[in-house]
Amino acid sequence: MKVLAFDTFGTVTDWFTGISSTVREVAPGVDADAFAREWRRRYGPILARVESGELPWRRLDDLQTETVHEVAARFGCALDHEQATRLVRGWRTIPGWPDAADGIRRLRTGFIVCALSNGTVALLTDMARHNGFEWDVIGGSDLWRHYKPARETYCGLADLLEASPAQVMMVATHQHDLDAARSFGLRTAFIERPMEWGGDHKDDSGSPENDIHATDVLDLAQQLGC
């Protein structure tokens, strides 16, 4: 194994805390926790519409702008351009989980460690600088103009690093992400994040088909001998 490819939203960052805090600042009259959860629930479906060809490819910020206005309307508020922009850009400064930055640094002693996310290179660069994530490579969706779980994302990173899919391990807290990666020949590691949804139930059981099941990124580093 040569490369560790990390999902970012949820796996190394606490999107719920970050986005709900931003909602409180930008739209103080709404239920910030419920708003953040509803916005996140619309993330996967709009990406799927792009991958199906129903919508043309657009950067994640553009898609998030569309869905944040939908969510605001559901919560009975209207966002002006500045408010929507602040909310969308809030994804660039969501906090890392306490173990993430140190775990990434440890893993770099033995592997090429990369972000592999539906965010753009610019978004992920801002996120990395904000949290001290020392990625070797940032694999943003705008490199391949596809969103996970498309083959082009997983295999595109492997090709970029002149590695076979079997030399890449996808690391994520979302089993569907890992199932897709495995279907294209990657190895998989599940990371538990029980508080990803701010206390709402999340299934952290993973799958016996994963190569590794870890409680956090530091545990992953220990299991991999770093």
Side-chain angles (χ1 to χ4, degrees):
M1 194 170 64
K2 179 180 177 182
V3 178
L4 298 175
F6 276 81
D7 170 67
T8 57
F9 301 119
T11 301
V12 295
T13 54
D14 177 5
W15 62 262
F16 175 80
T17 296
I19 295 305
S20 60
S21 296
T22 304
V23 173
R24 286 186 187 92
E25 295 171 2
V26 174
V30 306
D31 183 335
D33 291 357
F35 190 107
R37 292 187 182 103
E38 180 61 27
W39 193 12
R40 176 63 168 168
R41 289 188 187 101
R42 293 175 185 247
Y43 176 88
I46 198 166
L47 301 188
R49 291 173 65 195
V50 173
E51 285 304 313
S52 72
E54 179 184 346
L55 296 176
W57 193 89
R58 287 179 288 162
R59 293 171 185 262
L60 184 61
D61 278 6
D62 296 329
L63 300 176
Q64 295 274 58
T65 298
E66 181 175 329
T67 56
V68 79
H69 282 295
E70 293 174 357
V71 175
R74 177 170 176 172
F75 280 77
C77 66
L79 301 172
D80 61 27
H81 176 75
E82 181 183 356
Q83 288 174 309
T85 298
R86 286 177 61 192
L87 286 168
V88 169
R89 292 190 69 85
W91 290 91
R92 300 177 180 230
T93 55
I94 53 180
W97 295 110
D99 56 277
D102 287 344
I104 290 166
R105 278 191 286 271
R106 281 178 52 179
L107 287 163
R108 288 186 69 222
T109 64
F111 303 93
I112 298 169
V113 181
C114 314
L116 181 58
S117 173
N118 290 325
T120 60
V121 172
L123 183 158
L124 298 170
T125 299
D126 288 344
M127 179 193 290
R129 289 174 61 84
H130 181 73
N131 289 294
F133 296 155
E134 297 178 4
W135 303 119
D136 290 306
V137 175
I138 291 179
S141 57
D142 45 331
L143 293 179
W144 10 85
R145 297 176 70 86
H146 280 279
Y147 291 111
K148 292 186 296 178
R151 178 187 181 278
E152 289 85 351
T153 59
Y154 307 104
C155 295
L157 182 69
D159 184 64
L160 189 69
L161 295 172
E162 300 179 359
S164 68
Q167 290 177 304
V168 181
M169 175 174 279
M170 186 69 209
V171 183
T173 192
H174 310 119
Q175 189 56 47
H176 60 86
D177 195 355
L178 299 179
D179 290 340
R182 189 184 314 104
S183 74
F184 301 121
L186 280 69
R187 299 172 70 178
T188 57
F190 185 90
I191 302 292
E192 294 180 6
R193 294 298 185 200
M195 292 301 295
E196 183 189 356
W197 287 80
D200 276 11
H201 173 72
K202 174 177 178 283
D203 182 5
D204 265 352
S205 58
S207 166
E209 295 187 49
N210 294 324
D211 297 277
I212 294 177
H213 184 107
T215 55
D216 59 21
V217 182
L218 290 170
D219 182 37
L220 175 65
Q222 182 175 1
Q223 291 191 50
L224 290 173
C226 296

